[in-house]
Amino acid sequence: MNQDYLEELFSKIDITLPAPEREPERQYYFMKKLRSGIKELSERIGHTPAYHVETFGCQMNAKDSEKLSGIMSAIGFIEATGEKSADFVIYNTCTVRENANLKVYGRVGFLGNLKKKNPNMLIALCGCMMQEEHVVEKIRTSYGFVDLVFGTHNLYMFAELLYECLNRKDRKPLVRVLAASDKIVENLPSEQKFSFKAGVNISYGCNNFCTYCIVPYVRGREKSRRPDEIVAEVKRLVNNGVKEVMLLGQNVNSYGNDFRKSSDIPEECKKDFPELLKMVSEVPGLMRIRFMTPHPKDLSDKLIEEIANNPKVCKHVHLPMQSGSSRILQKMNRHYTKEDYLDLVKKIKDKIPGAALTTDIIVGFPGETEEDFEDTLDVVRQAVFSSAYTFQYSKRTGTPAASYPDQVPENVVSERFDRLLALIHETSEKLADKAVGSTVDVLVEEINESKDTLTGRMDNNMLVHFKGENRLLGCIVKVKLEECKGFYYTGSVLNLD
Ligand code: 5AD
Ligand code: SF4
């Protein structure tokens, strides 16, 4: 968020008055209150206080972390280089798989040791894990040194919660987790990780209830953001130098479904996802649009047409398949069969020439037999993914699949997982090899000082390393692909002037 704009906003707030009820005005009021205490805090600790936000999990969490960082900067903290030099550490957690969960506990234990050396250190935990009662209970009992716990539904209240936390009478964790919320609060400060690309939330939550997935329980029911507000955010981002946006939702295909029943939304705002894509693409100066994640059960022809015909939309579809077995897909509550999925892949490849397809696959869902797994391998062979995220099934308490009787033994899951990985490597590498020699547009995303190279992202989401000047960071340039190294390429830049 623009600093001058922020200062102007703060100058209009009178903190001697009671807090406003409206959002986000209420949060700016608490930010200003916190700000006024920063000078005193700096004097007490002998330096400008520093924060560190650590993100676990997906792009949604990454986006939420940018909001947390934006609020920390707005109240006068600077960014620390890591936990050790931070006065305030925030872990934005993920609970989609058990190992994500365990990682957080390990890291919080480590923070406890740091806090013993620096008792003034503040620790906040937020995100999906905090929406689970047993997690909060464990924090209260085993990690009592944590200062603040909040969830996914009240992240927007971070400034207010921090204010309350700093003014609490005891040193017990301040726990504020809401079971649900139908509120969407936007226009809070946000600190983008990259100046040239940004995520934009289009909807929150999920209504699909796949039987393995904890997301609907921790992120709640699906709520779409109004299209005019999304477009306004994209315009602001582009004015500040953004070239590429990633539209984020758990199931982008159902964007706007909740508008149909609503009388609060003007008729002209009742858009579906392909219409939203079109509206966003009309923002002048925006060059690329990505989106995550569509669900195969309702990926419409209208969406495929829009991807195919809209030059700003990247020709990349991330289409989570989860399993190739129709029997398992049914037990997963996915609402499509192996054949439906393969038909969809064919349609995408026919209608969007050169489209890159990536996927998510779960191995070892309860009841998965060797035959079911063979079906998964079969789809991988036929669909030919550019890459695939593969996961071993993880039992999540509270989901239907956690209580299915026929859980697959660990050794079987791990042996299948290795076979799947080997096949994906083989098929994806063969596909990637075919692009060698072609010239592609890439967005330069990184400077690798040590290797004296730049890294760019292709339209299809693959990376290419090449020599080039640092000033190209954030620019879209043409690169000739020279060698395929498996999941990335090396190449050389064509338009240096
Ligand atoms: N076990 C393993 N993988 C899971 N995913 C979601 N829930 C689970 C689970 N319980 C995977 C799915 C989803 C991705 C984001 O995480 O493949 O698409
Ligand atoms: Fe989870 Fe299924 Fe919703 Fe994706 S669509 S978040 S896998 S419940």
Side-chain angles (χ1 to χ4, degrees):
M1 187 175 271
N2 183 299
Q3 195 60 31
D4 295 340
Y5 175 73
L6 202 59
E7 293 308 324
E8 199 191 319
L9 248 173
F10 280 134
S11 70
K12 291 183 192 145
I13 301 170
D14 183 350
I15 51 171
T16 61
L17 297 174
E21 288 298 318
R22 262 174 63 136
E23 297 291 1
E25 289 80 352
R26 187 176 172 86
Q27 299 313 313
Y28 282 99
Y29 170 91
F30 282 105
M31 278 179 240
K32 186 159 175 186
K33 279 203 149 198
L34 286 161
R35 227 178 192 218
S36 63
I38 287 293
K39 198 157 165 266
E40 187 262 327
L41 176 63
S42 303
E43 276 163 16
R44 187 156 50 83
I45 60 177
H47 59 262
T48 308
Y51 74 92
H52 176 76
V53 179
E54 184 82 23
T55 311
F56 299 83
C58 68
Q59 311 259 7
M60 297 272 183
N61 265 18
K63 176 73 189 177
D64 283 348
S65 290
E66 291 185 351
K67 296 179 186 172
L68 297 169
S69 298
I71 293 170
M72 289 313 293
S73 298
I75 64 179
F77 276 63
I78 54 169
E79 195 171 358
T81 45
E83 285 117 317
K84 286 187 186 155
S85 57
D87 303 288
F88 187 14
V89 177
I90 309 162
Y91 279 176
N92 188 8
T93 64
C94 169
T95 190
V96 80
R97 287 171 292 277
E98 182 69 15
N99 50 5
N101 222 290
L102 295 175
K103 204 152 67 179
V104 170
Y105 284 128
R107 296 281 294 268
V108 177
F110 163 74
L111 286 186
N113 292 333
L114 287 182
K115 194 163 175 167
K116 279 188 196 133
K117 290 181 211 139
N118 174 12
N120 285 325
M121 183 181 184
L122 281 173
I123 301 171
L125 304 178
C126 63
C128 295
M129 237 176 113
M130 301 306 128
Q131 290 295 138
E132 297 182 279
E133 267 172 39
H134 65 94
V135 171
V136 174
E137 203 39 50
K138 184 159 172 166
I139 288 162
R140 282 192 213 269
T141 52
S142 310
Y143 302 90
F145 54 82
V146 168
D147 298 280
L148 173 62
V149 173
F150 56 102
T152 55
H153 298 298
N154 56 352
L155 186 124
Y156 71 89
M157 287 172 69
F158 177 49
E160 180 173 356
L161 297 173
L162 181 56
Y163 183 79
E164 198 182 329
C165 173
L166 293 174
N167 289 290
R168 73 198 196 275
K169 298 282 176 291
D170 55 33
R171 299 233 47 187
K172 286 192 201 144
L174 176 79
V175 177
R176 290 282 183 275
V177 179
L178 306 179
S181 162
D182 52 11
K183 240 188 195 162
I184 294 185
V185 178
E186 300 285 352
N187 297 328
L188 284 163
S190 175
E191 194 132 293
Q192 278 167 236
K193 191 164 171 220
F194 300 97
S195 60
F196 46 84
K197 67 170 189 174
V200 176
N201 296 113
I202 64 161
S203 62
Y204 297 91
C206 181
N207 292 350
N208 289 316
F209 290 94
C210 302
T211 55
Y212 51 81
C213 188
I214 192 98
V215 168
Y217 306 90
V218 295
R219 288 261 175 193
R221 291 303 65 71
E222 189 170 84
K223 300 182 281 285
S224 306
R225 265 181 91 189
R226 282 175 56 142
D228 47 345
E229 288 175 9
I230 295 169
V231 169
E233 181 175 343
V234 174
K235 278 188 183 150
R236 268 198 308 274
L237 289 167
V238 171
N239 283 340
N240 289 326
V242 163
K243 304 230 168 62
E244 176 182 303
V245 292
M246 163 87 87
L247 305 180
L248 299 169
Q250 298 295 348
N251 176 7
V252 294
N253 304 334
S254 48
Y255 171 78
N257 282 358
D258 46 338
F259 294 157
R260 271 169 227 141
K261 296 163 241 142
S262 169
S263 51
D264 303 338
I265 307 282
E267 278 310 306
E268 69 274 15
C269 283
K270 295 189 173 178
K271 303 287 181 193
D272 62 15
F273 183 60
E275 288 160 356
L276 178 74
L277 263 185
K278 194 168 179 58
M279 283 173 74
V280 169
S281 73
E282 282 159 4
V283 172
L286 180 67
M287 300 182 79
R288 273 181 169 181
I289 308 171
R290 298 184 185 278
F291 59 88
M292 263 185 116
T293 308
H295 192 303
K297 78 176 158 61
D298 47 15
L299 195 140
S300 64
D301 290 352
K302 188 173 168 187
L303 178 58
I304 296 177
E305 293 290 325
E306 190 58 38
I307 304 169
N309 299 328
N310 190 325
K312 289 192 187 175
V313 179
C314 289
K315 308 300 174 237
H316 167 218
V317 184
H318 182 69
L319 195 63
M321 118 169 155
Q322 313 299 5
S323 168
S325 151
S326 299
R327 201 180 69 85
I328 294 294
L329 285 166
Q330 194 188 10
K331 288 177 85 183
M332 287 177 161
N333 193 31
R334 292 289 290 176
H335 299 280
Y336 55 88
T337 62
K338 174 185 180 183
E339 291 70 31
D340 295 335
Y341 189 87
L342 283 170
D343 286 348
L344 194 53
V345 166
K346 184 169 178 327
K347 203 190 291 179
I348 293 172
K349 293 199 170 179
D350 285 349
K351 295 262 166 68
I352 317 172
L357 207 68
T358 54
T359 197
D360 291 344
I361 303 171
I362 298 176
V363 177
F365 182 83
E368 183 190 77
T369 61
E370 179 58 27
E371 203 184 339
D372 294 317
F373 178 65
E374 286 292 339
D375 273 329
T376 298
L377 297 180
D378 188 39
V379 179
V380 171
R381 273 185 216 105
Q382 293 194 52
V384 194
F385 299 108
S386 302
S387 69
Y389 297 92
T390 48
F391 307 104
Q392 302 196 2
Y393 167 73
S394 171
K395 204 169 167 177
R396 307 314 292 128
T397 313
T399 61
S403 54
Y404 289 177
D406 37 5
Q407 304 281 326
V408 183
E410 233 171 80
N411 61 327
V412 176
V413 177
S414 116
E415 182 266 339
R416 284 182 193 160
F417 185 79
D418 291 345
R419 277 157 65 201
L420 175 64
L421 220 56
L423 179 65
I424 289 167
H425 275 246
E426 189 191 314
T427 49
S428 310
E429 269 182 44
K430 258 191 217 150
L431 180 70
D433 260 340
K434 289 190 188 154
V436 171
S438 63
T439 298
V440 293
D441 285 334
V442 307
L443 173 62
V444 183
E445 292 191 349
E446 231 174 292
I447 298 170
N448 316 301
E449 303 281 5
S450 60
K451 295 191 207 113
D452 193 23
T453 56
L454 303 174
T455 301
R457 193 175 294 273
M458 296 159 56
D459 188 336
N460 71 6
N461 213 33
M462 284 190 72
L463 297 176
V464 49
H465 302 299
F466 55 96
K467 290 224 179 295
E469 293 171 42
N470 292 1
R471 70 178 169 91
L472 295 179
L473 185 70
C475 298
I476 293 186
V477 296
K478 288 204 184 302
V479 170
K480 184 162 189 216
L481 304 179
E482 286 165 349
E483 202 181 330
C484 176
K485 303 272 193 185
F487 288 103
Y488 69 93
Y489 297 91
T490 52
S492 56
V493 69
L494 295 189
N495 55 344
L496 262 178
D497 37 49

